[in-house]
Amino acid sequence: MNDNLEPVLVCKDLCISYYTRAGEIPAVVDFSLTVKPGETIGIVGESGCGKSTVAMAVMQYMGANGGIKSGSITFKGRDLTQLSEDELRRIRGAEISMIYQEPFASLNPSLKIKTQLMEVPLAHEDISKDEARQRSVQMLADVKLPDPERIMESYPHQLSGGQQQRVVIAMGLLSKPSLLLLDEPTTALDVTVEAGIVKLVADISKKFGTSQIYISHNLGLILETCDRVFVMYSGEVVEEGTINSLFTWPRHPYTHGLFSCIPLPTADKNAAPLKPIRGQLPLPFDRPQGCYYHPRCDHFKPDVCDVDHFKMEYVENSAADDHRVRCLRYKEIDHRQDTSDVEVKESLKLGKRVLNVDGMKKYYEVRDNSLKAIISGKRIRYVKANEELNFTARESETVAIVGESGCGKSTFAKVLMGLETGTEGEVRHKGKDISEIAVRDRSDKQISSLQMVFQNPFDTLNPSHSIGAQISRVIKKFGVETDKNKIFDRVMRLLDTVKLPRDFYFRKPRQLSGGQKQRVGIARAFAGNPSMVIADEPVSALDVSVAAAVTELLMDIQREHKTTLLFISHDLSVVRYLSDRIVVMYLGHILERGTTEEIFSPPYHPYTEALLSAVPIADPEVTKREIVLEGNLPSAMKPPKGCPFCTRCHRKIGDICDNEPPQNQAVSERHIIKCHIPLATLSEVAPVINVPDESERIHTQQ
């Protein structure tokens, strides 16, 4: 980054509105931003705060009903709001590029990758098709995609999500833009793929001197990638500063609220639980008088915070010259008091075993009708989705299953729920083997005893039925209550339990936010008094504030009902916070299992070590070793002959890894590692994550 050069982008006093039949909706107000050459800026905040609107305004993609009401956007000395469509078309893609959240929506499914990549330089530069192809192949190699020539001839559906996102990044960088906008580019990806792509974008941007604006609600990711950060709330910036200044000494109550929602390594679900931000983000046309955050702020002072709207001001005695905050009371507030007020919760005593998984396998049969298969006589092959799974779960216990997409987590959940039947082994729930009993053949009692909270709350509720009707149906079907009045009362109590207003009984799903829908999904899961709830990535699609509330809600309900919780996730920060034991899966195998403390401390399986390294941590004083996994997950139809992880292992010790399946090694009674490397050697590995003691911390957040 060169401070002496002219800024690449300057947004000054920007106000953006959308115009509807109901009137003007002010989406962004009083937004100012300067991006220097080679600098990476982070913009964070909850959904609906205006982050993506700013990016769309920079690209001048405001749509027919959106417009810049006042202010300016200057790119390399030119005001983008004054340019014609032809002038903007020459800038977009060539000098300013954007990488969107969903790679599936960014690629044309009917065109090969080569066509879509070559289009960028051909449209913006005077070069031949051969030169465009050569540059496209080189860029695919730069984004670390294996066999670029094969990728060029592929269609988008033939690539994994991580590969598609790398193609989109290659497309964005093909014309060597001066400014790259990244809108949640890694939300849908595994943590290991995310770590690789984040490093990739940083390396390539450094190579080409590209400035970046990184939009995310993942504060850990922002810490690892950005130079400065802007915190947005309800359409305006409430705090800005350098990464070190803002993460070490946050001043605005909302910034502190965001940090309190993140499961940092120092968080503990009993001793130091997360503290969700109460209330909801105000709608753009219904913002309160004065500070927009004051209805949710624990430090609200009448006749001060709710009188006049106020501008950003520079923080006095800050470590950084450009640390600014939009708060009249930031000097008076002692945020150390917030942490001392945290309610300590009682730890649960584990009960009897509820689930026993013993040698469970799940294979899918695939018929190959090719001529080669017919001649060889090998027409039937198997996808080995789950291979020899062994673990247990007790009453009131939270067991987390972690691993990358395609490792077999959700397949096991399907067998447990009866949506699939097991191939071999046993899955005993309350002593009865249910692995071969399909859901249609299970009794109502068995079905009600095993319930599920799904990843996407939008797809799991019937849009034509009210919330009350959908929860009532579960209570009636499983015979919890039969009397209409008692069913109604129970639904009301469930709405109270998940902290939703009782009038939501009459609402339809379309009238609810994502977090509210997920709460309804939890209420429905617990309506039948289940002994076990399977939560499949229940918070991955939610904002940090909503995710914290949903996580605490699950914990509170578990404490009340002594439910066994099976938590499926690839986010080890959430897993570390709420789980008692962890099962690490890879390509259908359990590579390591043990208590949370055992999994997060050496000895590690090399795959666990890589997973831990990939977790973004929003604390500048926590250090970790960098391990970026190369390559992709092998096909479950053609798994490696030896160790399933041998093709990507950074600690591979030789031919034994390629040719012989490893045996389980017992570190302790319940801590098992499946690896050829001796335990003595694994025990010498340094910790991946290093958390300083309180005495070693260089500051107190004031």
Side-chain angles (χ1 to χ4, degrees), residues 140 248 478 524 628:
L140 288 178
T248 309
F478 295 137
R524 188 175 62 178
V628 178

Side-chain angles (χ1 to χ4, degrees), residues 612-677:
L612 293 174
S613 173
V615 180
I617 299 173
D619 187 337
E621 293 181 30
V622 174
T623 58
K624 61 179 184 174
R625 289 190 289 112
E626 183 182 282
I627 303 165
V628 178
L629 287 183
E630 300 294 337
N632 296 306
L633 201 72
S635 169
M637 198 176 292
K638 290 183 178 179
K641 182 181 175 183
C643 172
F645 187 55
C646 69
T647 58
R648 302 169 74 192
C649 184
H650 56 285
R651 296 192 182 276
K652 189 173 169 183
I653 57 175
D655 292 341
I656 189 173
C657 297
D658 293 321
N659 299 315
E660 294 183 28
Q663 298 299 311
N664 286 332
Q665 301 185 74
V667 184
S668 63
E669 185 183 355
R670 300 182 77 184
H671 186 195
I672 305 296
I673 295 177
K674 182 185 277 191
C675 186
H676 286 298
I677 303 171

Side-chain angles (χ1 to χ4, degrees), residues 239-250 318-320 322-323:
E239 187 165 9
E240 65 168 283
T242 63
I243 286 293
N244 284 336
S245 174
L246 191 138
F247 275 74
T248 309
W249 292 281
S318 173
D322 60 351
H323 193 160

Side-chain angles (χ1 to χ4, degrees), residues 131-146:
E131 290 175 305
R133 181 184 176 87
Q134 189 176 352
R135 192 193 293 181
S136 299
V137 170
Q138 181 58 48
M139 187 57 75
L140 288 178
D142 284 345
V143 297
K144 307 286 177 61
L145 275 168

Side-chain angles (χ1 to χ4, degrees), residues 384-456:
K384 297 180 179 181
N386 288 151
E387 189 74 82
E388 290 281 352
L389 301 190
N390 295 281
F391 66 93
T392 61
R394 297 177 181 272
E395 184 181 84
S396 301
E397 186 175 34
T398 301
V399 178
I401 302 179
V402 301
E404 296 169 283
S405 299
C407 74
K409 306 186 302 289
S410 295
T411 299
F412 170 70
K414 289 176 183 177
V415 174
L416 191 57
M417 296 297 295
L419 301 174
E420 301 278 1
T421 54
T423 304
E424 282 184 32
E426 293 184 342
V427 178
R428 294 192 302 279
H429 177 247
K430 290 191 168 181
K432 184 174 179 60
D433 183 10
I434 58 172
S435 63
E436 295 184 5
I437 307 175
V439 67
R440 293 184 183 278
D441 300 324
R442 293 184 182 182
S443 65
D444 285 349
K445 187 176 180 181
Q446 286 175 322
I447 295 173
S448 66
S449 191
L450 283 165
Q451 288 294 300
M452 196 159 184
V453 179
F454 296 91
Q455 178 176 0
N456 192 342

Side-chain angles (χ1 to χ4, degrees), residues 77 96 167 344 588 639 702:
I96 305 177
V167 168
V344 177
Q702 297 176 345

Side-chain angles (χ1 to χ4, degrees), residues 226-442:
C226 299
D227 303 306
R228 287 193 298 139
V229 60
F230 288 67
V231 181
M232 288 190 73
Y233 182 82
S234 190
E236 66 181 7
V237 176
V238 295
E239 187 165 9
E240 65 168 283
T242 63
I243 286 293
N244 284 336
S245 174
L246 191 138
F247 275 74
T248 309
W249 292 281
R251 299 291 180 165
H252 198 282
Y254 177 61
T255 312
H256 272 274
L258 288 178
F259 281 117
S260 298
C261 294
I262 300 169
L264 296 171
T266 50
D268 181 284
K269 66 179 179 181
N270 298 313
L274 301 181
K275 189 179 178 184
I277 302 173
R278 56 186 170 84
Q280 300 285 334
L281 194 77
L283 295 171
F285 52 81
D286 194 28
R287 290 175 177 135
Q289 182 74 14
C291 173
Y292 293 161
Y293 185 62
H294 85 249
R296 305 172 73 186
C297 184
D298 294 332
H299 305 281
F300 167 68
K301 190 173 183 178
D303 300 326
V304 175
C305 302
D306 55 355
V307 180
D308 295 319
H309 200 65
F310 36 87
K311 296 277 187 182
M312 300 274 285
E313 63 176 82
Y314 286 96
V315 175
E316 293 181 10
N317 303 320
S318 173
D321 295 337
D322 60 351
H323 193 160
R324 301 200 302 160
V325 65
R326 195 187 299 267
C327 179
L328 293 176
R329 302 194 62 230
Y330 80 89
K331 299 175 192 173
E332 309 165 25
I333 299 170
D334 183 3
H335 289 288
R336 289 171 294 186
Q337 187 66 33
D338 297 348
T339 56
S340 63
D341 291 342
V342 171
E343 176 191 356
V344 177
K345 298 182 179 180
E346 186 179 350
S347 58
L348 287 171
K349 291 182 179 178
L350 304 186
K352 59 186 178 183
R353 285 187 183 179
V354 175
L355 182 72
N356 282 70
V357 183
D358 188 8
M360 199 281 277
K361 295 182 180 181
K362 175 59 184 175
Y363 294 173
Y364 291 98
E365 189 178 284
V366 178
R367 291 186 176 272
D368 188 346
N369 293 320
S370 67
L371 182 62
K372 183 179 178 181
I374 293 171
I375 293 171
S376 66
K378 297 179 180 178
R379 295 186 61 184
I380 298 177
R381 293 188 291 169
Y382 294 95
V383 175
K384 297 180 179 181
N386 288 151
E387 189 74 82
E388 290 281 352
L389 301 190
N390 295 281
F391 66 93
T392 61
R394 297 177 181 272
E395 184 181 84
S396 301
E397 186 175 34
T398 301
V399 178
I401 302 179
V402 301
E404 296 169 283
S405 299
C407 74
K409 306 186 302 289
S410 295
T411 299
F412 170 70
K414 289 176 183 177
V415 174
L416 191 57
M417 296 297 295
L419 301 174
E420 301 278 1
T421 54
T423 304
E424 282 184 32
E426 293 184 342
V427 178
R428 294 192 302 279
H429 177 247
K430 290 191 168 181
K432 184 174 179 60
D433 183 10
I434 58 172
S435 63
E436 295 184 5
I437 307 175
V439 67
R440 293 184 183 278
D441 300 324
R442 293 184 182 182

Side-chain angles (χ1 to χ4, degrees), residues 9-16 28-35 54 57-58 68-75 79-81 230 311 324:
L9 182 76
V10 178
C11 299
K12 190 173 182 183
D13 302 328
L14 199 59
C15 293
I16 305 167
V28 173
V29 292
D30 188 25
F31 181 88
S32 296
L33 167 79
T34 300
V35 185
V54 169
V58 172
I68 294 170
K69 187 176 179 183
S70 61
S72 62
I73 304 175
T74 306
F75 175 73
D79 190 343
L80 295 178
T81 62
F230 288 67
K311 296 277 187 182
R324 301 200 302 160

